[in-house]
Amino acid sequence: MATLICGSLAFDTIMSFEGRFAEQILPDQLHILNVSFLVPDLRRDFGGCAGNIAYAMQQLGGAPLPMATLGNDGADYLERLRTLGIDTEFVRQIDDTYTAQAMIMTDRDNNQITAFHPGAMMQAHRTRIEARADLRLGIVSPDGRDAMLEHAAQFHAAGIPFVFDPGQGLPMFGGAELARFVELATWVTVNDYEGRMLCERMGVDLAELSRRVQGLVVTLGGEGCDLWQDGQRTHVPAVQPEAVVDPTGCGDAWRGALLYGLEQGWPLARCAALGNRLGALKIASRGPQNYRVAPSILTDL
């Protein structure tokens, strides 16, 4: 069984600011904001939600199939996926644009400021989802607006259960569109902030939202996550990381673990517990795709 991962492939330029954003930005001067941050550490990583989620699943032994677009500068990323053993059947290269680029700056408190250029991601809707015997599960993660709308409808038409994971793409959609995503989806995953925005735009609370899907997960960073099923909340506690090095890609690692568990037929609470473990492992490593998973991570869940 394979899991189709719809989302972005991107290059992440990651910068570390040794101070605190809050000490550099004056709230009463936001209307004339003009700030500069010295970033002594800079690196470029492979990223994007589809890439990060596929990496997490592959590390756990799952069968990820990323469906995403690369630009004319994406040959290195394509080769990396193949070297990792990740199937690239649904990865399309677009010749007249760049691969999506994320510029991420992190301060000493792990707050982040991100600028994102979508590039080839805006053409992701050109690849369609069709019913196929080996496609049993999917996810719609942040991607081009048209791709998210069309892929959700195509998953549903193909009879493939999927996770709706709007992430940073959530502000692109109004309440009626978000309600339609939820109607089509089997599960919904959001962080705490996204959950509040989703509920506000749909005019529901988390309990009501959870009654419309098989499971709703709200991740809470260092506090673990809440599972909502049929209006009832269950808290899954966090796992303490060995070190807090870089939060970039933690949410995607969590979602990769969720998909791995769903692929195995696990109950949602067990999937979430694995997600918390993998998120803790990822945050102790720099970059979204540089951690290694030992088989012991799957024991005693």
Side-chain angles (χ1 to χ4, degrees):
M1 183 173 78
T3 297
L4 195 59
I5 302 170
C6 299
S8 63
L9 294 174
F11 293 117
D12 291 343
T13 300
I14 300 174
M15 300 158 281
S16 296
F17 174 56
E18 295 178 347
R20 293 183 171 90
F21 295 145
E23 296 171 348
Q24 304 293 318
I25 299 174
L26 302 175
D28 61 344
Q29 299 295 308
L30 290 177
H31 63 294
I32 53 170
L33 184 65
N34 186 1
V35 294
S36 177
F37 301 98
L38 178 65
V39 288
D41 294 327
L42 182 149
R43 70 184 187 278
R44 195 185 197 214
D45 285 325
F46 297 99
C49 294
N52 296 344
I53 294 169
Y55 179 85
M57 282 198 72
Q58 188 272 343
Q59 287 284 299
L60 290 166
L65 272 172
M67 177 178 278
T69 47
L70 291 167
N72 52 28
D73 57 345
D76 288 349
Y77 207 144
L78 196 61
E79 179 60 26
R80 171 180 170 78
L81 292 172
R82 291 169 176 164
T83 299
L84 288 168
I86 294 173
D87 195 317
T88 59
E89 177 184 355
F90 296 112
V91 178
R92 178 193 294 260
Q93 279 196 276
I94 308 297
D95 292 334
D96 59 353
T97 187
Y98 292 115
T99 298
Q101 315 272 331
M103 281 66 73
I104 304 166
M105 182 164 50
T106 304
D107 75 358
R108 64 188 300 178
D109 292 330
N110 285 314
N111 297 307
Q112 291 186 319
I113 295 174
T114 301
F116 187 74
H117 169 66
M121 190 184 79
M122 299 305 292
Q123 303 298 320
H125 61 280
R126 292 167 55 181
T127 308
R128 290 184 53 83
I129 297 168
E130 304 286 354
R132 210 171 77 177
D134 64 328
L135 297 179
R136 304 289 182 83
L137 184 66
I139 185 170
V140 173
S141 63
D143 207 346
R145 173 183 162 82
D146 290 344
M148 293 179 71
L149 289 166
E150 293 181 21
H151 289 160
Q154 290 161 12
F155 269 131
H156 182 73
I160 301 171
F162 73 95
V163 176
F164 176 49
D165 171 36
Q168 62 266 35
L170 195 156
M172 296 190 294
F173 304 104
E177 291 169 318
L178 292 168
R180 180 59 176 163
F181 276 120
V182 171
E183 178 185 349
L184 298 174
T186 309
W187 306 274
V188 172
T189 59
V190 286
N191 65 26
D192 188 32
Y193 180 81
E194 294 158 1
R196 289 195 297 270
M197 180 181 290
L198 179 59
C199 287
E200 179 181 311
R201 293 199 174 186
M202 288 182 58
V204 298
D205 59 16
L206 291 172
E208 173 57 29
L209 181 59
S210 73
R211 294 187 182 98
R212 303 187 183 191
V213 289
Q214 286 188 19
L216 165 67
V217 184
V218 181
T219 58
L220 305 170
E223 297 179 9
C225 61
D226 285 340
L227 310 183
W228 288 85
Q229 293 178 290
D230 197 24
Q232 301 298 312
R233 181 181 71 91
T234 302
H235 182 70
V236 181
V239 174
Q240 185 68 29
E242 292 183 1
V244 178
V245 175
D246 180 8
T248 309
C250 281
D252 293 333
W254 195 99
R255 282 149 180 80
L258 170 71
L259 290 170
Y260 173 82
L262 292 174
E263 197 177 71
Q264 304 303 308
W266 293 359
L268 197 58
R270 189 180 181 193
C271 298
L274 178 61
N276 290 351
R277 287 189 183 185
L278 200 61
L281 179 66
K282 195 265 111 206
I283 204 171
S285 175
R286 291 201 179 278
Q289 298 181 23
N290 298 319
Y291 57 95
R292 293 292 183 268
V293 177
S296 59
I297 198 171
L298 297 173
T299 61
D300 301 323
L301 282 170

